[in-house]
């Protein structure tokens, strides 16, 4: 591991990231377009315009959320269908 | 029917059928079914983006937010804290202040936890959300939701996905008579006659997902639901005849031999 790398958690999964990287950098690295997603950093929902100003630090927990097919909650517990991929 | 628009929180809708987007085979089928239903309002859920497999498509690539009113829900939330968190995430994801608020009480019935619902609604209305609450067929709770500031109330017909149809038409009728905001019957519809009945009782709209998505031919069922909602609405406005126990002849006696 590089000296300037930190560990963060994104959508429940551990991953490495450059120290000093911003939320915006992370989304670009994951190829996630910022429109249509909501980002929560350590339970704080971020304003989209702050993505490039909020830097990540060791142990941060990031949630990247978007819309999937839904209406009846039953499908939500189901596996397979319904995982969305914000582009 | 042209001038018979549904207005909720200043937003005008042509169709009185709202549809969910879950349980379809793929996005292409979702899109076709929604087009066949003629719905203006479509519900979506908020979930984690899959960050490991980025190859899949996005639902909103198939549903143009300029064409449809996207109504995010808090489906799957079993407490106030989660429901409020999901509502805030939905708003941050950037569609609008609209939220279909669900606070569920139990996994087997998916019945609403109306105590939690009232509390979550109070918080979200204060934060400027347009809260459309999924509730029980309980007129008192419906009134409390209106008092909190919900611009419409969405009582269930039967448990979500059950297809049982309208289990308590008398309660729904009381809600429709008592409550001065639009009533959207949500959940439990099985087939077209259920949707028509909801509208004949005086519902302002009907929301469904499974009845269409789970049908053998979802696109045909979507179209059937479109007509059922229109027919039910027309019948309600036309005013049905009273029920009587005995016959009343339709043909005149005069002129008979």
């Amino acid at each position: 591991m590089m000296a300037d790398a930190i560990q963060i958690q994104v959508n429940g999964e551990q991953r490495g990231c450059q120290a000093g990287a911003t939320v915006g950098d992370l989304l670009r690295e994951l190829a996630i377009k910022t429109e249509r997603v909501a980002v929560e950093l350590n339970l704080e929902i971020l304003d989209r315009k702050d993505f490039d100003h909020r830097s990540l630090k060791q142990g941060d927990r990031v949630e990247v959320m978007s819309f999937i097919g839904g209406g009846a909650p039953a499908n939500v517990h189901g596996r397979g269908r319904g995982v969305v991929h914000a582009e | 029917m042209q001038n018979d628009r549904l207005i909720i929180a200043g937003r005008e809708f042509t169709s009185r059928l709202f549809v969910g987007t879950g349980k379809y085979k793929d996005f292409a089928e979702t899109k076709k079914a929604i087009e066949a239903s003629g719905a203006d309002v479509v519900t979506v859920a908020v979930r984690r983006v899959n960050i490991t497999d980025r190859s899949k498509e996005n639902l909103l690539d198939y549903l143009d937010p300029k064409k449809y009113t996207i109504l995010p829900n808090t489906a799957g939330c079993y407490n106030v804290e989660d429901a409020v968190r999901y509502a805030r995430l939905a708003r941050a994801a950037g569609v609008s202040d609209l939220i279909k608020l669900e606070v569920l009480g139990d996994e087997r019935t998916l019945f609403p936890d109306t105590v939690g619902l009232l509390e979550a609604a109070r918080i979200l209305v204060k934060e400027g959300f347009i809260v459309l609450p999924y509730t029980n067929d309980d007129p008192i709770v419906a009134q409390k939701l209106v008092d909190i500031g919900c611009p419409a109330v969405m009582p269930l017909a039967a448990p979500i996905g059950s297809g049982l149809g309208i289990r308590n038409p008398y309660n729904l009728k009381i809600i429709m008579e008592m409550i001065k905001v639009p009533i959207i019957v949500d959940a439990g519809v099985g087939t077209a006659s259920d949707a028509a009945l909801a509208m004949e009782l005086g519902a302002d709209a009907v929301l469904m997902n499974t009845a269409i998505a789970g049908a053998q031919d979802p696109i045909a069922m979507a179209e059937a639901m479109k007509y059922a909602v229109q027919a039910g609405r027309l019948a309600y406005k036309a005013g049905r005849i009273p029920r009587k126990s005995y016959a009343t002849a339709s043909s005149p006696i005069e002129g008979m031999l």
Side-chain angles (χ1 to χ4, degrees):
Chain A
M1 201 161 62
M2 285 185 299
D4 58 348
I6 54 168
Q7 283 290 312
I8 58 169
Q9 208 182 80
V10 183
N11 286 6
E13 288 174 30
Q14 290 289 337
R15 66 181 287 127
C17 141
Q18 289 290 110
T22 65
V23 169
D25 293 332
L26 173 69
L27 294 176
R28 279 185 287 275
E29 194 191 318
L30 293 169
I32 295 168
K33 279 191 192 162
T34 55
E35 69 225 39
R36 301 173 189 163
V37 297
V39 177
E40 212 183 56
L41 174 59
N42 302 324
L43 299 179
E44 177 199 352
I45 297 172
L46 302 183
D47 204 313
R48 190 168 286 127
K49 66 182 185 332
D50 294 333
F51 288 174
D52 284 327
H53 307 298
R54 296 295 293 261
S55 41
L56 296 162
K57 56 182 193 312
Q58 176 67 30
D60 273 351
R61 296 178 59 166
V62 184
E63 296 290 350
V64 187
M65 310 289 282
S66 190
F67 297 115
I68 67 155
N75 68 310
V76 157
H77 300 294
R79 300 286 175 264
R81 237 179 252 178
V83 179
V84 88
H85 304 264
E87 185 197 309
Chain B
M1 290 295 274
Q2 283 301 313
N3 301 319
D4 186 31
R5 299 282 170 95
L6 170 65
I7 297 170
I8 297 171
R11 291 156 194 260
E12 210 174 283
F13 305 106
T14 309
S15 172
R16 290 173 181 273
L17 173 59
F18 293 13
V19 293
T21 53
K23 296 184 172 178
Y24 286 98
K25 188 177 73 197
D26 51 38
F27 289 149
E29 188 187 69
T30 314
K31 183 173 193 255
K32 275 189 204 154
I34 289 167
E35 278 169 2
S37 77
D40 299 324
V41 181
V42 298
T43 67
V44 297
V46 180
R47 291 294 177 269
R48 279 174 165 167
V49 170
N50 186 331
I51 55 167
T52 48
D53 177 6
R54 309 283 316 119
S55 64
K56 300 264 176 62
E57 297 162 300
N58 185 314
L59 173 65
L60 292 193
D61 292 334
Y62 283 80
L63 299 175
D64 183 0
K66 289 188 201 80
K67 191 174 166 194
Y68 296 105
T69 297
I70 306 293
L71 175 59
N73 63 32
T74 62
C77 293
Y78 285 86
N79 59 59
V80 173
E81 195 186 7
D82 282 351
V84 168
R85 184 182 182 192
Y86 274 77
R88 289 171 180 158
L89 284 165
R91 177 154 75 177
V95 179
S96 71
D97 293 329
L98 281 170
I99 191 78
K100 179 189 160 188
L101 181 61
E102 297 181 21
V103 182
L104 302 173
D106 160 60
E107 283 193 30
R108 197 157 165 227
T109 60
L110 298 176
F111 279 143
D113 167 0
T114 50
V115 175
L117 181 69
L118 290 167
E119 196 183 330
R122 220 170 268 127
I123 294 167
L124 293 171
V125 166
K126 254 185 216 148
E127 292 183 13
F129 282 88
I130 299 165
V131 179
L132 309 183
Y134 163 68
T135 184
N136 243 316
D137 52 9
D138 177 338
I140 307 304
V141 173
Q143 185 58 56
K144 284 179 194 274
L145 288 161
V146 175
D147 295 343
I148 285 169
C150 297
V153 178
M154 309 177 79
L156 55 80
I160 291 166
S162 69
L164 286 174
I166 295 171
R167 298 206 307 184
N168 199 340
Y170 300 101
N171 267 37
L172 284 180
K173 186 89 188 140
I174 291 171
I175 291 176
M176 285 154 199
E177 286 168 6
M178 269 179 58
I179 305 298
K180 302 299 173 208
V181 300
I183 302 299
I184 304 159
V185 170
D186 179 10
V189 164
T191 188
S193 53
D194 298 334
L197 177 59
M199 296 305 293
E200 286 170 16
L201 288 171
D204 294 281
V206 179
L207 192 158
M208 65 183 76
N209 186 352
T210 311
I212 296 175
Q216 288 192 20
D217 183 343
I219 293 143
M221 187 58 91
E223 194 177 2
M225 292 299 184
K226 174 172 84 177
Y227 295 130
V229 168
Q230 287 176 0
R233 176 68 182 173
L234 270 175
Y236 169 73
K237 293 195 80 176
R240 61 153 299 150
I241 60 162
R243 289 180 172 86
K244 285 185 280 189
S245 298
Y246 293 94
T248 313
S250 321
S251 307
I253 305 292
E254 207 182 283
M256 285 190 78
L257 294 173

